[in-house]
Every structure is written in structure tokens, then in C-alpha cells.
Coordinates of all heavy atoms in Angstrom, one line a residue:
M1 N -15.9 -3.3 14.4 CA -14.6 -3.6 13.9 C -13.9 -2.3 13.4 O -14.5 -1.6 12.6 CB -14.6 -4.7 12.9 CG -13.3 -5.1 12.3 SD -13.5 -6.2 11.0 CE -12.3 -7.4 11.3
A2 N -12.7 -2.1 13.8 CA -12.0 -0.9 13.3 C -11.7 -1.0 11.8 O -11.4 -2.1 11.4 CB -10.8 -0.7 14.1
R3 N -11.7 0.1 11.2 CA -11.3 0.1 9.7 C -10.0 0.9 9.5 O -9.9 2.0 10.0 CB -12.5 0.7 8.9 CG -12.2 0.8 7.5 CD -13.4 1.3 6.7 NE -13.1 1.7 5.4 CZ -12.9 0.9 4.3 NH1 -13.0 -0.4 4.5 NH2 -12.6 1.3 3.2
I4 N -9.1 0.3 8.8 CA -7.9 1.0 8.5 C -8.1 1.7 7.2 O -8.4 1.1 6.2 CB -6.7 0.0 8.4 CG1 -6.5 -0.7 9.7 CG2 -5.4 0.7 8.0 CD1 -5.5 -1.9 9.6
E5 N -7.9 3.0 7.2 CA -8.1 3.8 6.0 C -6.9 3.6 5.0 O -5.8 3.7 5.5 CB -8.3 5.3 6.3 CG -9.6 5.6 7.0 CD -10.8 5.3 6.2 OE1 -10.8 5.5 4.9 OE2 -11.8 4.7 6.7
P6 N -7.2 3.4 3.8 CA -6.1 3.2 2.8 C -5.4 4.6 2.5 O -6.0 5.6 2.7 CB -6.7 2.7 1.5 CG -8.2 3.1 1.7 CD -8.5 3.2 3.1
L7 N -4.1 4.5 2.1 CA -3.4 5.7 1.8 C -4.0 6.3 0.4 O -4.4 5.5 -0.4 CB -1.9 5.5 1.6 CG -1.2 5.0 2.8 CD1 0.3 4.7 2.4 CD2 -1.2 6.1 3.9
S8 N -3.9 7.6 0.2 CA -4.2 8.1 -1.1 C -3.0 7.9 -2.0 O -1.9 7.7 -1.5 CB -4.6 9.6 -1.0 OG -3.4 10.3 -0.7
M9 N -3.2 7.9 -3.3 CA -2.1 7.7 -4.2 C -1.0 8.7 -4.1 O 0.2 8.4 -4.2 CB -2.6 7.7 -5.7 CG -3.4 6.4 -6.1 SD -2.5 4.9 -5.9 CE -1.6 4.9 -7.4
R10 N -1.3 9.9 -3.7 CA -0.3 10.9 -3.5 C 0.5 10.7 -2.3 O 1.6 11.2 -2.1 CB -0.8 12.3 -3.6 CG -1.8 12.7 -2.6 CD -2.4 14.1 -3.0 NE -3.7 14.2 -2.6 CZ -4.2 14.4 -1.4 NH1 -3.3 14.6 -0.4 NH2 -5.4 14.5 -1.1
E11 N 0.0 9.9 -1.3 CA 0.7 9.6 -0.1 C 1.7 8.5 -0.3 O 2.6 8.3 0.6 CB -0.3 9.2 1.0 CG -1.1 10.3 1.6 CD -2.1 9.8 2.6 OE1 -3.0 9.0 2.2 OE2 -2.0 10.3 3.7
I12 N 1.6 7.8 -1.3 CA 2.5 6.6 -1.6 C 3.7 7.1 -2.3 O 3.7 7.5 -3.5 CB 1.8 5.5 -2.4 CG1 0.6 5.1 -1.7 CG2 2.8 4.4 -2.7 CD1 -0.3 4.1 -2.5
V13 N 4.9 7.1 -1.6 CA 6.1 7.7 -2.2 C 7.0 6.6 -2.9 O 7.8 6.9 -3.8 CB 7.0 8.5 -1.2 CG1 6.2 9.7 -0.8 CG2 7.3 7.6 0.0
D14 N 6.9 5.3 -2.4 CA 7.7 4.2 -3.0 C 7.2 3.9 -4.4 O 6.0 3.5 -4.5 CB 7.6 3.0 -2.0 CG 8.5 1.9 -2.5 OD1 8.4 1.4 -3.6 OD2 9.5 1.6 -1.7
E15 N 8.0 4.0 -5.4 CA 7.6 3.7 -6.8 C 7.1 2.3 -7.0 O 6.2 2.1 -7.7 CB 8.7 4.0 -7.8 CG 9.0 5.5 -7.9 CD 7.7 6.3 -8.4 OE1 7.1 5.8 -9.4 OE2 7.4 7.3 -7.9
E16 N 7.7 1.3 -6.4 CA 7.3 -0.1 -6.5 C 5.9 -0.3 -6.0 O 5.1 -1.0 -6.6 CB 8.3 -1.0 -5.8 CG 8.1 -2.5 -5.9 CD 9.1 -3.3 -5.2 OE1 10.1 -2.8 -4.7 OE2 8.9 -4.5 -5.1
I17 N 5.6 0.3 -4.8 CA 4.3 0.2 -4.2 C 3.3 0.9 -5.1 O 2.2 0.5 -5.3 CB 4.3 0.7 -2.8 CG1 5.2 -0.3 -1.9 CG2 2.9 0.7 -2.2 CD1 5.5 0.2 -0.5
R18 N 3.6 2.1 -5.5 CA 2.7 2.9 -6.4 C 2.4 2.1 -7.6 O 1.2 2.0 -8.1 CB 3.4 4.2 -6.8 CG 2.5 5.1 -7.7 CD 3.2 6.4 -8.1 NE 3.4 7.2 -7.0 CZ 2.4 8.1 -6.5 NH1 1.3 8.1 -7.1 NH2 2.7 8.9 -5.5
H19 N 3.4 1.4 -8.2 CA 3.2 0.6 -9.4 C 2.2 -0.5 -9.1 O 1.3 -0.8 -9.9 CB 4.5 0.1 -9.9 CG 4.4 -0.7 -11.2 ND1 4.1 -0.2 -12.4 CD2 4.5 -2.1 -11.4 CE1 4.0 -1.2 -13.3 NE2 4.3 -2.3 -12.7
A20 N 2.4 -1.2 -8.0 CA 1.5 -2.3 -7.6 C 0.0 -1.8 -7.4 O -0.9 -2.5 -7.8 CB 2.0 -2.9 -6.2
C21 N -0.1 -0.6 -6.8 CA -1.5 0.0 -6.7 C -2.1 0.3 -8.0 O -3.3 0.1 -8.2 CB -1.4 1.2 -5.8 SG -1.0 0.8 -4.1
E22 N -1.3 0.9 -8.9 CA -1.8 1.2 -10.2 C -2.2 0.0 -11.0 O -3.2 -0.1 -11.7 CB -0.7 2.1 -11.0 CG -0.6 3.5 -10.4 CD 0.6 4.2 -11.0 OE1 1.5 3.6 -11.6 OE2 0.7 5.4 -10.7
D23 N -1.3 -1.1 -10.9 CA -1.7 -2.4 -11.5 C -3.0 -2.9 -11.0 O -3.8 -3.4 -11.8 CB -0.6 -3.4 -11.3 CG 0.6 -3.3 -12.3 OD1 0.5 -2.5 -13.3 OD2 1.6 -3.9 -12.1
A24 N -3.2 -2.9 -9.7 CA -4.4 -3.4 -9.1 C -5.6 -2.6 -9.6 O -6.7 -3.1 -10.0 CB -4.3 -3.3 -7.6
E25 N -5.4 -1.3 -9.7 CA -6.5 -0.4 -10.2 C -6.8 -0.7 -11.7 O -8.0 -0.8 -12.0 CB -6.1 1.1 -10.1 CG -7.1 2.1 -10.4 CD -8.1 2.3 -9.3 OE1 -7.7 2.2 -8.1 OE2 -9.3 2.5 -9.6
R26 N -5.8 -1.0 -12.5 CA -6.0 -1.3 -13.9 C -6.7 -2.7 -14.0 O -7.6 -2.9 -14.9 CB -4.7 -1.4 -14.6 CG -4.6 -0.5 -15.8 CD -3.3 -0.6 -16.6 NE -2.1 -1.0 -15.9 CZ -1.2 -0.3 -15.2 NH1 -1.5 1.0 -15.0 NH2 -0.2 -0.8 -14.6
Q27 N -6.3 -3.7 -13.2 CA -6.8 -5.0 -13.4 C -8.2 -5.2 -12.8 O -9.0 -5.9 -13.3 CB -5.9 -6.0 -12.7 CG -4.5 -6.2 -13.4 CD -3.6 -7.0 -12.7 OE1 -3.9 -7.7 -11.7 NE2 -2.3 -7.1 -13.2
T28 N -8.5 -4.6 -11.7 CA -9.7 -4.8 -11.0 C -10.6 -3.6 -10.8 O -11.8 -3.8 -10.5 CB -9.5 -5.4 -9.5 OG1 -8.8 -4.4 -8.8 CG2 -8.6 -6.6 -9.6
G29 N -10.1 -2.5 -11.1 CA -10.9 -1.3 -11.0 C -10.9 -0.6 -9.6 O -11.5 0.4 -9.4
I30 N -10.2 -1.3 -8.7 CA -10.1 -0.8 -7.3 C -8.7 -1.1 -6.7 O -8.1 -2.1 -7.1 CB -11.2 -1.4 -6.5 CG1 -11.3 -0.6 -5.2 CG2 -11.1 -2.8 -6.3 CD1 -12.6 -0.9 -4.4
S31 N -8.2 -0.2 -5.9 CA -6.9 -0.5 -5.3 C -6.9 -0.3 -3.8 O -5.9 0.0 -3.2 CB -5.8 0.4 -6.0 OG -6.1 1.8 -5.7
T32 N -8.0 -0.5 -3.2 CA -8.1 -0.2 -1.8 C -7.2 -1.1 -0.9 O -6.5 -0.7 0.0 CB -9.6 -0.4 -1.3 OG1 -10.4 0.4 -2.1 CG2 -9.8 0.0 0.1
S33 N -7.2 -2.4 -1.3 CA -6.4 -3.3 -0.5 C -4.9 -3.0 -0.6 O -4.2 -2.9 0.5 CB -6.6 -4.8 -0.9 OG -7.9 -5.2 -0.5
P34 N -4.3 -2.9 -1.8 CA -2.9 -2.5 -1.8 C -2.6 -1.2 -1.2 O -1.5 -1.0 -0.6 CB -2.5 -2.5 -3.3 CG -3.7 -2.9 -4.1 CD -4.8 -3.1 -3.1
R35 N -3.5 -0.2 -1.3 CA -3.2 1.1 -0.7 C -3.3 1.0 0.8 O -2.6 1.8 1.5 CB -4.2 2.1 -1.2 CG -3.9 2.5 -2.7 CD -4.7 3.7 -3.2 NE -6.1 3.4 -3.3 CZ -7.1 4.0 -2.6 NH1 -6.8 4.9 -1.7 NH2 -8.4 3.6 -2.7
T36 N -4.1 0.0 1.4 CA -4.1 -0.2 2.8 C -2.8 -0.9 3.2 O -2.2 -0.5 4.2 CB -5.3 -1.0 3.2 OG1 -6.5 -0.3 2.8 CG2 -5.4 -1.2 4.7
Y37 N -2.4 -1.9 2.5 CA -1.1 -2.6 2.8 C 0.1 -1.7 2.7 O 1.1 -1.9 3.3 CB -0.9 -3.8 1.8 CG -2.0 -4.9 1.9 CD1 -2.4 -5.5 0.7 CD2 -2.6 -5.2 3.1 CE1 -3.3 -6.5 0.7 CE2 -3.6 -6.2 3.1 CZ -3.9 -6.9 1.9 OH -4.9 -7.8 1.9
A38 N -0.1 -0.6 1.9 CA 1.0 0.3 1.7 C 1.4 1.1 2.9 O 2.5 1.6 3.0 CB 0.7 1.3 0.6
K39 N 0.6 1.0 4.0 CA 1.0 1.6 5.2 C 2.2 0.8 5.8 O 2.9 1.4 6.7 CB -0.2 1.6 6.2 CG -1.3 2.6 5.8 CD -2.4 2.6 6.8 CE -3.3 3.7 6.4 NZ -3.5 4.7 7.4
N40 N 2.4 -0.4 5.4 CA 3.6 -1.2 5.8 C 4.3 -1.6 4.6 O 4.0 -2.7 4.0 CB 3.1 -2.4 6.7 CG 4.3 -3.1 7.3 OD1 5.4 -3.1 6.7 ND2 4.0 -3.8 8.3
P41 N 5.3 -0.8 4.1 CA 5.9 -1.1 2.8 C 6.6 -2.5 2.8 O 6.5 -3.2 1.7 CB 7.0 0.0 2.7 CG 6.4 1.1 3.5 CD 5.7 0.5 4.6
A42 N 7.2 -3.0 3.9 CA 7.8 -4.3 3.9 C 6.8 -5.4 3.7 O 7.0 -6.4 2.9 CB 8.6 -4.5 5.2
A43 N 5.6 -5.2 4.3 CA 4.6 -6.2 4.1 C 4.1 -6.3 2.7 O 3.9 -7.4 2.2 CB 3.5 -5.9 5.1
I44 N 3.8 -5.2 2.1 CA 3.2 -5.2 0.7 C 4.3 -5.8 -0.3 O 3.9 -6.5 -1.2 CB 2.7 -3.9 0.3 CG1 1.9 -4.0 -1.0 CG2 3.7 -2.8 0.1 CD1 1.1 -2.9 -1.4
K45 N 5.5 -5.5 0.0 CA 6.6 -6.0 -0.9 C 6.7 -7.5 -0.8 O 6.8 -8.2 -1.7 CB 7.9 -5.3 -0.7 CG 7.9 -3.9 -1.2 CD 9.2 -3.2 -0.9 CE 9.2 -1.7 -1.4 NZ 10.4 -1.0 -1.2
A46 N 6.6 -8.0 0.5 CA 6.7 -9.4 0.7 C 5.5 -10.2 0.1 O 5.6 -11.2 -0.5 CB 6.8 -9.7 2.2
L47 N 4.3 -9.5 0.3 CA 3.1 -10.1 -0.3 C 3.2 -10.2 -1.8 O 2.8 -11.2 -2.4 CB 1.9 -9.3 0.2 CG 0.5 -9.8 -0.3 CD1 0.2 -11.2 0.2 CD2 -0.6 -8.8 0.2
G48 N 3.7 -9.1 -2.4 CA 3.8 -9.1 -3.9 C 4.8 -10.2 -4.4 O 4.6 -10.8 -5.4
A49 N 5.9 -10.3 -3.6 CA 6.9 -11.4 -4.0 C 6.3 -12.8 -3.9 O 6.5 -13.6 -4.7 CB 8.1 -11.2 -3.1
C50 N 5.5 -13.0 -2.8 CA 4.8 -14.3 -2.6 C 3.8 -14.5 -3.7 O 3.8 -15.6 -4.3 CB 4.1 -14.3 -1.2 SG 3.3 -15.8 -0.9
R51 N 3.0 -13.6 -4.1 CA 2.1 -13.7 -5.1 C 2.7 -14.0 -6.5 O 2.3 -14.8 -7.3 CB 1.1 -12.5 -5.2 CG 0.1 -12.5 -4.1 CD -0.8 -11.3 -4.3 NE -1.8 -11.3 -3.2 CZ -2.7 -10.4 -3.0 NH1 -2.7 -9.3 -3.8 NH2 -3.6 -10.4 -2.1
A52 N 3.8 -13.3 -6.7 CA 4.5 -13.5 -8.0 C 5.1 -14.9 -8.1 O 5.0 -15.6 -9.1 CB 5.7 -12.4 -8.1
A53 N 5.7 -15.4 -7.0 CA 6.2 -16.7 -6.9 C 5.1 -17.8 -7.1 O 5.3 -18.8 -7.9 CB 7.0 -17.0 -5.6
L54 N 4.0 -17.6 -6.5 CA 2.9 -18.5 -6.7 C 2.4 -18.5 -8.1 O 2.1 -19.6 -8.7 CB 1.7 -18.2 -5.7 CG 1.9 -18.5 -4.3 CD1 0.8 -17.9 -3.4 CD2 2.1 -20.0 -4.0
A55 N 2.3 -17.4 -8.7 CA 1.8 -17.3 -10.1 C 2.8 -18.0 -11.1 O 2.4 -18.6 -12.0 CB 1.6 -15.8 -10.5
K56 N 4.1 -17.8 -10.8 CA 5.2 -18.3 -11.7 C 5.3 -19.8 -11.5 O 5.5 -20.5 -12.5 CB 6.5 -17.6 -11.3 CG 7.6 -18.1 -12.2 CD 8.9 -17.3 -11.8 CE 10.1 -17.8 -12.7 NZ 11.3 -17.2 -12.2
E57 N 5.3 -20.3 -10.3 CA 5.6 -21.7 -10.0 C 4.3 -22.6 -9.9 O 4.5 -23.8 -9.8 CB 6.3 -21.8 -8.6 CG 7.6 -21.0 -8.5 CD 8.7 -21.5 -9.5 OE1 8.7 -22.8 -9.7 OE2 9.4 -20.7 -10.0
S58 N 3.2 -22.0 -10.0 CA 1.9 -22.8 -9.8 C 1.7 -23.8 -10.9 O 2.0 -23.5 -12.1 CB 0.7 -21.9 -9.7 OG -0.5 -22.6 -9.6
T59 N 1.3 -25.0 -10.6 CA 1.0 -26.0 -11.6 C -0.5 -26.1 -11.8 O -1.0 -26.9 -12.6 CB 1.5 -27.4 -11.2 OG1 1.0 -27.7 -9.9 CG2 3.0 -27.3 -11.1
H60 N -1.3 -25.3 -11.0 CA -2.7 -25.3 -11.2 C -3.2 -24.5 -12.4 O -2.6 -23.5 -12.8 CB -3.4 -24.7 -9.9 CG -3.2 -25.5 -8.7 ND1 -2.3 -25.2 -7.8 CD2 -3.7 -26.7 -8.3 CE1 -2.3 -26.1 -6.8 NE2 -3.2 -27.0 -7.1
D61 N -4.2 -25.0 -13.0 CA -4.8 -24.3 -14.2 C -5.3 -22.9 -13.8 O -5.9 -22.8 -12.7 CB -6.0 -25.2 -14.6 CG -6.7 -24.6 -15.8 OD1 -6.0 -24.3 -16.8 OD2 -7.9 -24.4 -15.8
P62 N -5.1 -21.9 -14.6 CA -5.5 -20.5 -14.3 C -7.1 -20.4 -14.0 O -7.5 -19.7 -13.2 CB -5.1 -19.7 -15.5 CG -4.0 -20.5 -16.1 CD -4.3 -21.9 -15.8
V63 N -7.8 -21.2 -14.8 CA -9.3 -21.2 -14.6 C -9.6 -21.8 -13.2 O -10.5 -21.2 -12.5 CB -10.0 -22.0 -15.7 CG1 -11.5 -22.1 -15.4 CG2 -9.8 -21.4 -17.0
L64 N -8.9 -22.8 -12.7 CA -9.2 -23.4 -11.4 C -8.8 -22.3 -10.3 O -9.5 -22.2 -9.4 CB -8.3 -24.6 -11.2 CG -8.4 -25.3 -9.8 CD1 -9.8 -25.7 -9.5 CD2 -7.5 -26.5 -9.7
R65 N -7.7 -21.6 -10.5 CA -7.4 -20.6 -9.6 C -8.5 -19.5 -9.5 O -8.8 -19.0 -8.4 CB -6.0 -19.9 -9.9 CG -4.8 -20.8 -9.6 CD -3.6 -20.0 -9.8 NE -3.4 -19.6 -11.2 CZ -2.3 -19.6 -11.9 NH1 -1.2 -20.1 -11.3 NH2 -2.3 -19.2 -13.1
E66 N -9.0 -19.1 -10.6 CA -10.1 -18.1 -10.6 C -11.4 -18.7 -9.9 O -12.1 -18.0 -9.2 CB -10.4 -17.6 -12.0 CG -9.5 -16.6 -12.5 CD -9.4 -15.4 -11.7 OE1 -10.4 -14.8 -11.2 OE2 -8.3 -14.9 -11.4
L67 N -11.6 -20.0 -10.1 CA -12.8 -20.6 -9.5 C -12.6 -20.6 -7.9 O -13.6 -20.3 -7.2 CB -13.0 -22.0 -10.0 CG -13.6 -22.1 -11.4 CD1 -13.5 -23.6 -11.9 CD2 -15.0 -21.6 -11.4
V68 N -11.4 -20.8 -7.5 CA -11.1 -20.8 -6.0 C -11.3 -19.3 -5.5 O -11.9 -19.1 -4.5 CB -9.7 -21.3 -5.7 CG1 -9.3 -21.0 -4.3 CG2 -9.6 -22.8 -6.0
R69 N -10.8 -18.4 -6.3 CA -11.0 -17.0 -5.9 C -12.5 -16.6 -5.9 O -12.9 -15.8 -5.0 CB -10.2 -16.1 -6.8 CG -8.7 -16.2 -6.6 CD -8.0 -15.3 -7.6 NE -6.6 -15.4 -7.5 CZ -5.7 -15.5 -8.5 NH1 -6.1 -15.5 -9.7 NH2 -4.4 -15.6 -8.2
L70 N -13.2 -17.1 -6.8 CA -14.7 -16.9 -6.9 C -15.3 -17.4 -5.6 O -16.2 -16.8 -5.0 CB -15.3 -17.5 -8.1 CG -16.8 -17.5 -8.2 CD1 -17.3 -16.0 -8.3 CD2 -17.2 -18.3 -9.4
K71 N -14.9 -18.6 -5.2 CA -15.5 -19.3 -4.0 C -15.2 -18.4 -2.8 O -16.0 -18.2 -1.9 CB -15.0 -20.7 -3.8 CG -15.4 -21.4 -2.6 CD -16.9 -21.6 -2.7 CE -17.4 -22.5 -1.5 NZ -18.8 -22.7 -1.5
I72 N -13.9 -17.9 -2.7 CA -13.5 -17.1 -1.5 C -14.4 -15.8 -1.5 O -14.8 -15.4 -0.4 CB -12.0 -16.8 -1.6 CG1 -11.2 -18.1 -1.3 CG2 -11.6 -15.7 -0.6 CD1 -9.8 -18.0 -1.7
A73 N -14.5 -15.2 -2.7 CA -15.3 -14.0 -2.7 C -16.8 -14.2 -2.3 O -17.4 -13.4 -1.6 CB -15.3 -13.4 -4.1
G74 N -17.3 -15.4 -2.7 CA -18.7 -15.7 -2.3 C -18.7 -16.0 -0.8 O -19.7 -15.5 -0.1
L75 N -17.8 -16.6 -0.2 CA -17.7 -16.9 1.3 C -17.6 -15.5 2.0 O -18.2 -15.4 3.1 CB -16.6 -17.8 1.7 CG -16.7 -19.2 1.2 CD1 -15.4 -20.0 1.5 CD2 -17.9 -19.9 1.9
N76 N -16.9 -14.6 1.5 CA -16.8 -13.3 2.1 C -18.0 -12.4 1.8 O -18.0 -11.2 2.3 CB -15.5 -12.6 1.6 CG -14.3 -13.2 2.2 OD1 -14.3 -13.8 3.2 ND2 -13.2 -13.2 1.5
R77 N -18.9 -12.8 1.0 CA -20.1 -12.1 0.6 C -19.8 -10.8 -0.1 O -20.4 -9.7 0.2 CB -21.0 -11.9 1.8 CG -21.6 -13.1 2.3 CD -22.6 -12.9 3.4 NE -23.3 -14.1 3.8 CZ -23.0 -14.7 5.0 NH1 -22.1 -14.3 5.8 NH2 -23.7 -15.8 5.3
C78 N -18.8 -10.8 -0.9 CA -18.3 -9.6 -1.6 C -18.9 -9.7 -3.1 O -18.4 -10.3 -3.9 CB -16.8 -9.5 -1.7 SG -16.2 -8.0 -2.5
R79 N -20.1 -9.1 -3.2 CA -20.8 -9.2 -4.5 C -20.0 -8.6 -5.7 O -20.0 -9.1 -6.8 CB -22.1 -8.5 -4.5 CG -23.1 -9.3 -3.7 CD -24.5 -8.7 -3.7 NE -24.5 -7.7 -2.6 CZ -25.4 -6.8 -2.4 NH1 -26.4 -6.7 -3.3 NH2 -25.3 -6.0 -1.4
W80 N -19.3 -7.5 -5.4 CA -18.5 -6.9 -6.5 C -17.4 -7.8 -7.0 O -17.2 -8.0 -8.2 CB -17.9 -5.6 -6.0 CG -17.1 -4.9 -7.1 CD1 -17.7 -4.0 -8.0 CD2 -15.8 -5.0 -7.4 NE1 -16.7 -3.5 -8.8 CE2 -15.5 -4.1 -8.5 CE3 -14.7 -5.7 -6.9 CZ2 -14.3 -4.0 -9.1 CZ3 -13.5 -5.6 -7.5 CH2 -13.3 -4.8 -8.6
K81 N -16.7 -8.5 -6.0 CA -15.6 -9.4 -6.4 C -16.2 -10.6 -7.1 O -15.6 -11.2 -8.0 CB -14.8 -9.8 -5.2 CG -13.8 -8.8 -4.7 CD -12.6 -8.9 -5.5 CE -11.5 -8.1 -4.9 NZ -10.3 -8.1 -5.6
V82 N -17.3 -11.1 -6.6 CA -17.9 -12.3 -7.2 C -18.2 -12.0 -8.7 O -17.9 -12.8 -9.6 CB -19.2 -12.7 -6.5 CG1 -20.1 -13.7 -7.3 CG2 -18.9 -13.3 -5.1
E83 N -18.8 -10.9 -9.0 CA -19.1 -10.5 -10.4 C -17.8 -10.3 -11.2 O -17.7 -10.8 -12.4 CB -20.0 -9.3 -10.5 CG -20.6 -9.0 -11.9 CD -21.3 -10.2 -12.4 OE1 -22.0 -11.0 -11.7 OE2 -21.2 -10.5 -13.7
A84 N -16.8 -9.7 -10.6 CA -15.5 -9.5 -11.4 C -14.9 -10.8 -11.7 O -14.4 -11.1 -12.8 CB -14.6 -8.6 -10.5
R85 N -14.9 -11.8 -10.7 CA -14.3 -13.1 -10.9 C -15.1 -13.9 -12.0 O -14.5 -14.6 -12.8 CB -14.3 -13.9 -9.6 CG -13.4 -13.3 -8.5 CD -12.0 -13.5 -8.8 NE -11.2 -12.8 -7.8 CZ -10.0 -12.3 -8.0 NH1 -9.4 -12.4 -9.2 NH2 -9.3 -11.8 -7.0
R86 N -16.4 -13.8 -11.9 CA -17.2 -14.5 -13.0 C -16.9 -14.0 -14.4 O -16.8 -14.8 -15.3 CB -18.7 -14.3 -12.7 CG -19.2 -15.1 -11.6 CD -20.7 -15.0 -11.4 NE -21.2 -15.8 -10.3 CZ -22.3 -15.5 -9.6 NH1 -23.0 -14.5 -9.9 NH2 -22.6 -16.3 -8.6
K87 N -16.8 -12.7 -14.5 CA -16.4 -12.2 -15.8 C -15.1 -12.7 -16.3 O -14.9 -13.0 -17.5 CB -16.4 -10.6 -15.8 CG -17.8 -10.0 -15.7 CD -17.7 -8.5 -15.6 CE -19.1 -7.9 -15.5 NZ -19.1 -6.5 -15.3
R88 N -14.1 -12.7 -15.4 CA -12.7 -13.1 -15.7 C -12.8 -14.6 -16.1 O -12.1 -15.0 -17.0 CB -11.8 -12.9 -14.6 CG -10.3 -13.1 -15.0 CD -9.4 -12.7 -13.9 NE -9.4 -11.3 -13.6 CZ -8.8 -10.8 -12.6 NH1 -8.1 -11.5 -11.7 NH2 -8.8 -9.5 -12.4
I89 N -13.5 -15.4 -15.4 CA -13.6 -16.9 -15.7 C -14.3 -17.1 -17.0 O -13.8 -17.9 -17.8 CB -14.4 -17.6 -14.6 CG1 -13.6 -17.7 -13.3 CG2 -14.7 -19.0 -15.0 CD1 -14.3 -18.1 -12.1
R90 N -15.3 -16.3 -17.3 CA -16.0 -16.5 -18.6 C -15.0 -16.1 -19.8 O -15.1 -16.8 -20.8 CB -17.2 -15.6 -18.7 CG -18.4 -16.1 -17.9 CD -19.6 -15.2 -18.1 NE -20.6 -15.6 -17.1 CZ -21.1 -14.8 -16.2 NH1 -20.7 -13.5 -16.1 NH2 -22.0 -15.2 -15.3
K91 N -14.2 -15.1 -19.6 CA -13.2 -14.8 -20.6 C -12.2 -15.8 -20.8 O -11.7 -16.1 -21.9 CB -12.5 -13.5 -20.3 CG -13.3 -12.2 -20.5 CD -12.4 -11.0 -20.3 CE -13.1 -9.8 -19.9 NZ -12.3 -8.7 -19.6
S92 N -11.7 -16.5 -19.7 CA -10.5 -17.4 -19.8 C -10.9 -18.8 -19.9 O -10.0 -19.7 -20.2 CB -9.6 -17.2 -18.6 OG -10.3 -17.5 -17.4
A93 N -12.1 -19.2 -19.7 CA -12.5 -20.6 -19.7 C -12.4 -21.2 -21.1 O -12.7 -20.5 -22.1 CB -14.0 -20.8 -19.2
P94 N -11.9 -22.4 -21.2 CA -11.7 -23.1 -22.5 C -13.1 -23.5 -23.1 O -13.1 -24.0 -24.2 CB -10.8 -24.3 -22.2 CG -11.0 -24.6 -20.8 CD -11.4 -23.2 -20.1
F95 N -14.1 -23.4 -22.4 CA -15.4 -23.8 -22.8 C -16.4 -22.6 -22.6 O -16.1 -21.7 -21.8 CB -16.0 -25.0 -22.0 CG -15.9 -24.8 -20.5 CD1 -16.9 -24.2 -19.8 CD2 -14.7 -25.2 -19.8 CE1 -16.8 -23.9 -18.4 CE2 -14.7 -25.0 -18.4 CZ -15.7 -24.4 -17.7
K96 N -17.5 -22.6 -23.2 CA -18.5 -21.5 -23.1 C -19.7 -22.1 -22.3 O -20.1 -23.2 -22.5 CB -19.0 -21.0 -24.4 CG -17.8 -20.4 -25.3 CD -17.3 -19.2 -24.6 CE -16.1 -18.7 -25.5 NZ -15.2 -17.9 -24.7
Y97 N -20.2 -21.2 -21.4 CA -21.4 -21.7 -20.7 C -22.5 -20.7 -20.9 O -22.5 -19.8 -21.6 CB -21.2 -22.0 -19.2 CG -20.3 -21.2 -18.3 CD1 -20.6 -21.0 -17.0 CD2 -19.0 -20.7 -18.7 CE1 -19.8 -20.3 -16.2 CE2 -18.2 -20.0 -17.9 CZ -18.6 -19.9 -16.6 OH -17.7 -19.3 -15.7

């Protein structure tokens, strides 16, 4: 399968996209996906708007959303994301396990 190389931070000239990449880096420690999407500025802006609307309008519990993301990471066999999601769920869960 072909791999699309992400842009480097210095290749990203659009400030809105650079900000999205920096936010991803701050929140998750990695910004590979947004830097790859940055190859198509219209697509990354549309994706960002969609995610913002879902976050704002969602009636689902934030812990439930993280559990769904954890399941997706597990199905994709992404060990790094699984561990990151587990840590986030442990911090935000109203109960301790």
C-alpha cells in the first residue's frame, strides 16, 4: 500500500492549518494525520469544521466518545492510540477503575 508522506511544519503556510497541526501535537503528541491532510487544505478545513460541529452538538457523553475511539484504535491495531485513549478515559471517567 502506498504511503502519503506528511508535510513538514515549515511546508504548511496556511495559519489555520498550522494551528490545527500544533493543537494535534499538543493534545496527542503526534501530528502526522493533520500534516498529511494538509496536502489538501480544503479537505482539512472541512474535516475540522465537521469535527467542531460534532463536538459542539453532540449529546453523547464524552467518556462514551472516548470509549468508541478506544474501540476503533483497537480494531486498527494501533497500540499507541489505544494507550493514549486509555489514559484519557482514566482521567475523565466519573468513576475509578
Side-chain angles (χ1 to χ4, degrees):
M1 178 187 222
R3 178 173 166 82
I4 301 171
E5 289 299 320
L7 296 175
S8 69
M9 287 301 279
R10 63 186 144 79
E11 291 176 296
I12 302 171
V13 294
D14 186 298
E15 286 301 314
E16 184 179 351
I17 295 172
R18 180 182 293 276
H19 181 70
C21 292
E22 289 169 349
D23 277 350
E25 187 78 34
R26 237 185 334 276
Q27 292 174 9
T28 64
I30 192 165
S31 63
T32 307
S33 291
R35 288 187 295 116
T36 302
Y37 299 143
K39 288 186 175 238
N40 185 336
I44 192 170
K45 288 179 182 181
L47 181 60
C50 179
R51 286 183 176 173
L54 287 172
K56 182 179 176 186
E57 303 294 326
S58 178
T59 58
H60 294 103
D61 180 53
V63 175
L64 177 61
R65 283 190 298 224
E66 281 301 315
L67 287 170
V68 169
R69 290 178 179 137
L70 174 63
K71 179 65 176 178
I72 292 167
L75 291 171
N76 289 332
R77 293 186 175 104
C78 181
R79 285 184 275 168
W80 184 87
K81 282 278 192 185
V82 167
E83 191 54 38
R85 297 286 178 208
R86 282 185 180 153
K87 286 178 184 175
R88 192 176 293 173
I89 290 168
R90 284 185 192 120
K91 280 189 208 175
S92 62
F95 53 87
K96 300 294 178 206
Y97 36 146

